[in-house]
Structure formats: C-alpha cells, structure tokens
C-alpha cells in the first residue's frame, strides 16, 4: 500500500543534504583560488628571475592553503587554537616577504584582513581588520616616499585590500551559514519524521485501543450466550463485525492523517459497549454540536476513559457528563472500579493514554486531569475551550503539565 503524507516532499528532497555546503565550499575555493592565481599572473608580468618567481608562487600557494584551513576552522571551537597558529603563520608569510618583493606584495594582505575578521572576537576583529588595511597604505607610502602620486596609490591599495578582506570574510561566513542551514534543515526533517511516528503511535493507541477492547468484550459475551441465548449472541457477533470493520477503517485513516471523530456517534458507541459489559451507565450530555477539533478531542477522551474502564477495572457504575460553561466544554468520566485495580495507576496512564490526551487538549488550550476519591471512584476530567487565545493556551498548558506532573490521577 502506498501512502502519501505532509512530509513526503521533505523526505524526497533530503536525499542530498550536503549539496549546498559543497557548492558553497567550491565557490569559496574558486574565488580565493582565483585571487591567488591573479597574484601569480601579476608576478609573472614583472621582471623577476626564475628563483624569485618560484619563491613567490610557493608563498602564494602556502597562503592559499592556510586561507582554506582558516575558513574551515574559524567556525569550529575545537580547532580554535590551531586556527590562531595558522593566522600567525599567514601574517608571517604576508609581512616578511614585503622586505623583498616590496609593493608588488601589497595586494596580498587583504587575505590576512579577512582572516582577522573571521577569528578575532568582537570589536577586536574590526580593530585588527582596520590595522591591516592601514598597514597596506602606510607601507606603500614608506616604500614610495617622495614619489608623486604615492598617497593616491596608497588609498587605492588600501581599498583593494579592504575589498579583498571583506570578500574573504563574506565567502567564509556564507559557507558556514549554508552548512548551518543544511544541518538545520536535516534536523527539521528528522523532527518531522519523529512527529509523524509519534502521531501514528498516538492515533493507533487512541483509535484502536477502544475498538479492540470492544471487540474482545463482544466476542466473550457472544461465547457465553451462544447456547442459552443464540439471538443475543448473534447480535453481539454483528456488533463484533461492525467493530472490526471500524478498526480496519481506523488503521487506514491513521496512515493518511489525523482522523476526525463524531462525539455524538462516540456517545452512542460508548453506551452500547458499557451496557454489553453490564456497567450501569448514567450519561448526561448537554451539547455534542462542537467544532470538529474540539469534538474529536472530546470523543478521544471518551474512548480513553471507557477503554481504561474495560481493561483495568471491575466497575459496576459509570457516570459520563459533557457540560458547557460559556466558551469551555468539560468532559468527565467517572467509575467505581478504581479500588483494588490498576485503573488509577500513574504508570499505566502516563506512558501513552494520558500523555496523548494531554497533548491533544493542550493543542486546544485545554487540560486533562485525573484523580481517585476515597470511596474508590476514578475520575478523568478534560476542559476544552471552543476557541482559545494565546494567553489561555499558555496558562492552561502550564496547568495541564502541572496537573500530570503532580500525579493527579
């Protein structure tokens, strides 16, 4: 059976989560590599000997390698110390050759300016960046003292170093941000998968728990009645068949998404099941015409309460009330089977049943609470707003968490 869901596009597009970071890295390598290649081409156009050119090429290749390391290490705290060592080595490879290559080498310090921005903390980064840019202009003026046009050329060289540093910094940060975005996107897909699994587990518990309990009850009852009361046994088997068909429909609905429940139909079903189980039911329902989301949660509360009654108690009496008070509907299910049974056990309910109900109610801005009275009555209560606002959602969600945490079961 093939199913589709709201996360299919995420699953299909997450096959290559590293493509974007690789493209960003390739772009960074291409731009910085192109800058270094341009410096080498510039050196080749000047009257340097073969040995000088070989030294210059080796230095530029070393600078390129250090720059790639710095780009990779700048955002990784575990490599921070190694990055500072590489930064010091880069500064040495930039400033020491100035004594030999002089102003020909002044196009290179822009790499150091970008590295300082990447590694230095806070305001110190911009102070170091400005110092590197200023050193370019000052060095050019010192090397060309008294030459006409030197101040203008110094400004030009400083601006070139400024732009180079900003490009190096921008590309490196761009690469880091693309990597972080890819990691965040992968985390979101994983979270979506987890949410879908939790939804399936929750819906299977909430929808099938009741149906399977009802089917077991009907089958046991039919088995006892098949000889003394065959007509009633036949009716119980018919109800069993209907419950099995409903369970199959529930399974199919769970695989396609959240299933809406009818509160009115659920009330009729609960009455039929409890009467078959020999439980004396008193049901008082003021309003079943509720918004779809509220009615579904209310019906789920009924299912959970009756399922727990059938599974974990020997109740003889059950009281169900659904009342309205302004913008709030209250659902209460009480039975006298808590004494001497596990129906009130917090361990039994916290793991799945109450946790699921609390999540559903909190999504509406409501809450779920349980308690066991001294006379052995177990009570499950739910308060569900018809239309919740932000403040109500916040306060009631907190109340629900507090209620479950303190063990109001």
């Amino acid at each position: 059976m093939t199913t589709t869901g709201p996360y299919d596009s995420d699953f299909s597009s997450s096959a290559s989560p590293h493509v974007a970071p690789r493209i960003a890295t390739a772009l960074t390598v291409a731009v910085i590599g192109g800058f270094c290649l341009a410096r080498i081409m510039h050196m080749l156009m000047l009257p340097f000997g073969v040995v000088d050119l070989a030294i210059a090429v080796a230095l530029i290749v070393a600078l390129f390698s250090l720059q790639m390391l710095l780009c990779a290490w700048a955002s990784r705290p575990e490599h921070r110390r190694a990055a500072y060592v590489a930064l010091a080595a880069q500064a040495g490879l930039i400033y020491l050759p100035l004594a030999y290559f002089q102003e020909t080498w002044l196009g290179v310090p822009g790499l150091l300016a970008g590295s300082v921005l990447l590694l230095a903390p806070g305001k110190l980064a911009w102070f170091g960046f400005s110092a590197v840019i200023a050193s370019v202009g000052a060095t050019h003026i010192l090397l060309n003292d008294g030459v006409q046009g030197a101040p203008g050329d110094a400004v030009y060289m400083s601006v070139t170093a400024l732009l180079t540093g900003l490009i190096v910094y921008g590309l490196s940060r761009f690469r880091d941000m693309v990597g972080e975005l890819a990691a965040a996107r992968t985390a979101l897909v994983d979270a979506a998968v987890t949410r879908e699994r939790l939804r399936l587990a929750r819906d299977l518990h909430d929808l099938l728990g009741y149906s399977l309990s009802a089917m077991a009850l009907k089958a046991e009852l039919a088995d006892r009645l098949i000889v003394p009361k065959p007509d009633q046994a036949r009716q119980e088997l018919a109800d069993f068949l209907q419950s099995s068909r409903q369970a199959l429909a529930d399974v199919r609905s769970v695989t396609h998404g959240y299933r809406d429940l009818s509160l009115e139909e659920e009330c009729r079903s609960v009455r039929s099941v409890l009467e078959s189980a020999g439980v004396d039911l008193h049901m008082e329902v003021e309003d079943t015409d509720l918004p779809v989301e509220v009615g579904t949660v209310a019906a789920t509360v009924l299912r959970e309460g009756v399922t727990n009654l059938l599974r974990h108690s020997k109740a003889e009496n059950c009281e169900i009330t659904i009342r309205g008070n302004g913008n709030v509907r209250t659902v209460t299910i009480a039975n006298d089977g808590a004494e001497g049974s596990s129906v009130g056990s917090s361990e039994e309910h916290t793991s799945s049943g109450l946790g699921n109900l609390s999540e559903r109610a909190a999504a509406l801005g409501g809450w779920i609470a349980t308690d066991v009275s001294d006379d052995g009555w177990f009570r499950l209560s739910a308060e569900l707003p018809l239309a919740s606002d932000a403040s109500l959602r916040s306060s009631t969600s907190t109340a629900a968490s507090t209620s479950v945490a303190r063990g109001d079961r």
Side-chain angles (χ1 to χ4, degrees):
M1 179 175 63
T2 302
T3 62
T4 59
Y7 307 114
D8 287 351
S9 60
D10 287 335
F11 299 153
S12 62
S13 62
S14 62
S16 303
H18 304 298
V19 171
R22 287 172 181 170
I23 292 176
T25 299
L27 181 61
T28 303
V29 171
V31 173
I32 297 178
F35 169 81
C36 293
L37 182 61
R39 300 313 305 168
I40 293 174
M41 297 298 296
H42 177 69
M43 299 292 290
L44 291 175
M45 296 172 61
L46 298 175
F48 286 106
V50 175
V51 176
D52 293 339
L53 288 175
I55 294 174
V57 170
L59 290 173
I60 292 174
V61 171
L63 284 171
F64 172 77
S65 301
L66 286 173
Q67 190 62 59
M68 291 298 97
L69 287 175
L70 288 168
C71 290
W73 290 346
S75 60
R76 297 182 180 180
E78 67 272 18
H79 293 146
R80 181 67 60 172
R81 183 173 299 178
Y84 284 129
V85 173
L87 181 64
Q90 187 184 51
L93 291 179
I94 285 177
Y95 284 113
L96 293 178
L98 277 173
Y100 186 80
F101 293 106
Q102 297 190 353
E103 63 179 310
T104 306
W105 202 249
L106 284 178
V108 180
L111 295 176
L112 179 63
S115 299
V116 170
L117 274 183
L118 285 173
L119 291 175
K123 296 181 180 180
L124 184 60
W126 290 103
F127 176 79
F129 176 81
S130 302
V132 173
I133 302 303
S135 70
V136 173
T139 301
H140 186 275
I141 291 176
L142 289 175
L143 293 175
N144 295 274
D145 187 25
V147 178
Q148 186 177 5
D153 292 340
V155 172
Y156 172 78
M157 297 299 294
S158 297
V159 172
T160 300
L162 173 70
L163 295 176
T164 302
L166 291 177
I167 289 173
V168 169
Y169 173 75
L171 283 174
S172 300
R173 290 298 300 135
F174 170 72
R175 174 181 172 276
D176 292 340
M177 287 187 289
V178 169
E180 292 169 2
L181 181 62
R185 179 179 173 277
T186 301
L188 287 174
V189 172
D190 292 340
V193 173
T194 301
R195 285 197 301 270
E196 185 67 4
R197 287 173 178 170
L198 290 175
R199 182 193 69 81
L200 285 170
R202 181 190 65 193
D203 288 355
L204 283 173
H205 174 275
D206 292 344
L207 294 175
L208 293 185
Y210 172 80
S211 297
L212 294 177
S213 297
M215 289 165 60
L217 175 65
K218 296 291 184 180
E220 292 174 0
L221 191 57
D223 181 62
R224 292 198 302 266
L225 297 174
I226 195 167
V227 174
K229 298 180 180 180
D231 292 337
Q232 187 177 347
R234 190 177 296 108
Q235 180 59 45
E236 297 298 338
L237 287 175
D239 292 342
F240 175 89
L241 180 60
Q242 178 61 31
S243 296
S244 65
R245 288 171 177 167
Q246 183 61 57
L248 179 59
D250 289 343
V251 171
R252 290 173 176 170
S253 68
V254 166
T255 60
H256 288 83
Y258 188 78
R259 177 178 181 267
D260 295 330
L261 298 177
S262 169
L263 179 57
E264 185 175 358
E265 292 179 3
E266 205 62 34
C267 289
R268 288 197 296 267
S269 176
V270 163
R271 183 181 294 277
S272 172
V273 169
L274 291 181
E275 287 178 353
S276 297
V279 177
D280 186 12
L281 173 64
H282 174 73
M283 181 180 291
E284 180 182 343
V285 180
E286 293 184 358
D287 182 15
T288 59
D289 187 17
L290 303 178
V292 174
E293 292 183 355
V294 179
T296 296
V297 175
T300 304
V301 172
L302 278 183
R303 282 199 170 196
E304 180 64 21
V306 174
T307 299
N308 289 333
L309 184 154
L310 295 174
R311 287 180 176 178
H312 309 300
S313 78
K314 299 178 181 179
E316 297 179 357
N317 298 279
C318 179
E319 296 179 357
I320 297 175
T321 59
I322 302 176
R323 294 191 175 99
N325 183 12
N327 196 41
V328 175
R329 294 297 179 269
T330 301
V331 181
T332 303
I333 306 171
N335 68 79
D336 60 353
E339 188 173 6
S341 72
S342 62
V343 72
S345 171
S346 61
E347 181 180 357
E348 182 71 31
H349 294 288
T350 303
S351 60
S352 56
L354 270 187
N356 292 345
L357 293 180
S358 296
E359 290 179 6
R360 293 182 186 273
L364 298 176
W367 51 263
I368 298 290
T370 63
D371 65 82
V372 179
S373 62
D374 295 336
D375 57 356
W377 277 73
F378 174 77
R379 182 172 286 97
L380 170 64
S381 302
E383 186 170 291
L384 307 173
L386 298 183
S388 59
D389 55 31
S391 60
L392 179 60
R393 184 181 301 273
S394 176
S395 61
T396 52
S397 296
T398 303
S401 301
T402 304
S403 173
V404 173
R406 71 169 182 255
D408 293 340
R409 296 173 177 82

